[in-house]
Amino acid sequence: KTDTYPSGNVQLFYELQKGTELFVGLGHSVRVPDAQERYFALIRPMRDWVGNPELKPSRNTELDLGIKYSTDKALIKATAFYSFVQDYITVHNQGRVNSVSSSPNSQARSYENVDAQFFGGEVDLRLSLTQELFLFGGMSYVQARKETKPEKNIRSSKVAEIPPLKTRLALRYDKGTYFGEVETVLSATQNRVDRDLNEQKTSGYGVVNVKVGGNFKGFTITAGIDNLFDKKYFEHLSYLRDPFATGVKVPEPGRTFYINASYTF
């Protein structure tokens, strides 16, 4: 298979006023189908797994918009994007095409091109409350939709493996030679799942992490506790990816202690 895929991008920055900058970008990129998506063939219990030699490369055209505001004490960045992916490659269930004596299955997991849209954004905040106290924050969100093809058993308009809304807030006390930080990470429930692939809803969660550290004459020591309250939680799609999905969710680590030390000279 021979693929030709020119790509490129253009970016424009405009200073609205001192400390405030606007950004716009337009780009086009291509993802070529990998070998397993085109040529793999595997006989498995229940359902086989085969590639699609006729797959086209996925062509992504994306528009980005952003604004950055900065002063001596604050930095705020916000970006939004819209992406149209022509011939997005998705997994689907395909009926038998060729008879194989060693396989009794009537279906196989395979790959198909569909058009898809992605849109979302993120916000990043850094604020100096005093000379030693700092507030950090961030938020990201993405949503995706794809074309349906009932004749190909592609009935769900949701795109698989899309993360939910996620935020981070941290308060840091930093004297230069030593620091302490408390951080919380929050994730929303993800119920926009691809039912065709038996994706599962993932509940939201919130965890708290703490760390302290210091440096002296080239020595740096950092110690901390992740998941301070020993929360049991799952990241979205915490089980193996399709077509090897087990359907069993694997929880993230519980309360974890760590210490790091280094010396530079």
Side-chain angles (χ1 to χ4, degrees), residues 42-57:
L42 180 66
I43 295 174
R44 301 191 305 168
M46 304 298 293
R47 185 182 286 115
D48 297 336
W49 179 25
V50 299
N52 178 1
E54 302 303 318
L55 279 179
K56 301 174 184 177

Side-chain angles (χ1 to χ4, degrees), residues 211-214 219-224 226 257-263:
K211 63 180 176 181
V212 296
F219 288 95
T220 300
I221 297 178
T222 304
D226 286 342
F257 301 86
Y258 65 89
I259 183 169
N260 298 318
S262 64
Y263 175 68

Side-chain angles (χ1 to χ4, degrees), residues 170-227:
L171 191 64
R172 182 184 180 98
Y173 182 79
D174 197 331
K175 287 289 290 185
T177 55
Y178 61 90
F179 76 90
E181 182 175 300
V182 180
E183 172 193 61
T184 180
V185 178
L186 305 171
S187 179
T189 297
Q190 178 57 293
N191 51 22
R192 297 181 59 82
V193 294
D194 189 340
R195 299 296 183 187
D196 293 342
L197 303 182
N198 296 321
E199 264 197 316
Q200 302 173 27
K201 169 185 171 181
T202 306
S203 298
Y205 64 85
V207 295
V208 175
N209 308 315
V210 296
K211 63 180 176 181
V212 296
N215 57 81
F216 179 73
K217 293 185 177 180
F219 288 95
T220 300
I221 297 178
T222 304
I225 306 174
D226 286 342
N227 196 357

